[in-house]
């Protein structure tokens, strides 16, 4: 009578022993691919560590690229402020109100960037003689320079030239085109590391 009980106990012990020797299995959240854990090999640990390093490096690279793009966007904005063209009335070298406002922004920029040097180029429309337009372009460049020097910008940082009617912004032959061509342009000639005013 005891034999079946002993036999049953023996079978249960063998079955439990067999189960104990199996590696634990963890099922992934999607319940599809079983992954052996935690008794994995040293190679598996190295692979996991390498994958984590690659992920961390990838995140760091993406952040660095974003920061570089943001710096470049800021630099482009600063450069645009300094290089913004100002306009004049017909046959006139007096600064308009909008031109004075734009030059005020340039003053702040130049104060924040003492290593920057610029070229101021005077332009005219096509009406008038070549000689007259060269002289008018030079007067326009000079009045801009005088304005900036009046706000304590060292004149050695400011170069002036006249293009007269050459290099029109608009090649048309009407009032709209002429209005765009009566201008002073600005070019950075040295010092490209720009700082925003107030920084």
């Amino acid at each position: 009578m005891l034999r079946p009980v002993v036999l049953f106990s023996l079978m249960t012990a063998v079955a439990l022993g067999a189960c104990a020797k199996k590696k634990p299995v963890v099922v992934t959240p999607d319940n599809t691919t079983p992954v052996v854990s935690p008794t994995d090999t040293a190679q598996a640990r190295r692979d996991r560590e390498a994958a984590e390093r690659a992920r961390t490096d990838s995140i760091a690279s993406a952040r660095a690229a974003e920061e570089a793009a943001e710096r470049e966007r800021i630099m482009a904005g600063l450069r645009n402020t300094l290089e913004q063209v100002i306009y004049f009335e017909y046959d006139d070298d007096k600064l308009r109100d909008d031109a004075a406002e734009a030059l005020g922004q340039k003053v702040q920029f130049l104060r924040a960037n003492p290593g920057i040097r610029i070229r101021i180029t005077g332009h005219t429309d096509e009406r008038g003689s070549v000689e007259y337009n060269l002289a008018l372009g030079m007067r326009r460049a000079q009045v801009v320079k005088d304005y900036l020097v009046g706000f304590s910008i060292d004149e050695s940082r400011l170069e002036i030239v006249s293009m007269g009617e050459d290099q029109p912004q608009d090649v048309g032959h009407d009032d709209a085109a002429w209005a765009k061509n009566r201008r002073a342009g600005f070019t950075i000639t040295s010092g490209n590391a720009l700082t925003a005013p107030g920084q």
Side-chain angles (χ1 to χ4, degrees):
M1 277 296 207
L2 286 175
R3 253 179 154 182
V5 172
V6 171
L7 186 58
F8 177 74
S9 296
L10 247 131
M11 287 173 58
T12 303
V14 169
L16 287 174
C19 287
K21 289 182 183 176
K22 286 186 181 176
K23 291 184 180 177
V25 172
V26 175
V27 177
T28 57
D30 62 1
N31 292 323
T32 56
T33 311
V35 180
V36 176
S37 166
T39 56
D40 56 350
T41 65
Q43 181 60 47
R45 279 194 303 278
R46 284 194 296 274
D47 290 347
R48 268 199 322 278
E49 289 166 2
E52 181 59 25
R53 276 195 305 274
R55 188 181 78 79
T56 303
D57 291 348
S58 176
I59 291 169
S61 293
R63 262 194 208 123
E66 284 176 14
E67 289 168 4
E70 179 63 11
R71 277 194 305 275
E72 183 51 40
R73 188 190 65 74
I74 291 169
M75 289 300 106
L78 293 173
R79 204 169 286 111
N80 286 342
T81 296
L82 186 59
E83 294 179 346
Q84 178 188 358
V85 171
I86 63 168
Y87 297 95
F88 293 86
E89 296 301 330
Y90 172 64
D91 197 24
D92 199 353
D93 59 13
K94 292 180 183 63
L95 293 175
R96 300 181 343 187
D97 290 343
D98 60 336
E101 185 178 334
L103 288 174
Q105 293 177 352
K106 295 178 198 305
V107 166
Q108 294 176 26
F109 181 91
L110 290 166
R111 285 178 176 164
N113 295 274
I116 295 290
R117 293 174 181 271
I118 63 171
R119 178 183 304 116
I120 304 162
T121 307
H123 300 266
T124 69
D125 62 38
E126 63 187 350
R127 294 170 293 178
S129 69
V130 170
E131 295 79 11
Y132 182 83
N133 285 337
L134 283 170
L136 178 57
M138 186 57 78
R139 290 198 310 273
R140 287 174 175 169
Q142 185 65 54
V143 78
V144 171
K145 179 179 179 178
D146 292 345
Y147 184 92
L148 296 174
V149 169
F151 282 91
S152 302
I153 303 302
D154 188 339
E155 67 178 307
S156 68
R157 299 171 60 194
L158 310 171
E159 170 193 352
I160 60 171
V161 296
S162 174
M163 296 307 299
E165 62 194 74
D166 290 344
Q167 299 181 356
Q169 191 170 340
D170 189 321
V171 295
H173 305 287
D174 56 20
D175 288 335
W178 294 331
K180 292 176 187 173
N181 295 332
R182 298 188 301 262
R183 70 195 194 279
F186 302 84
T187 307
I188 299 173
T189 57
S190 71
N192 283 322
L194 308 180
T195 303
Q199 289 188 348

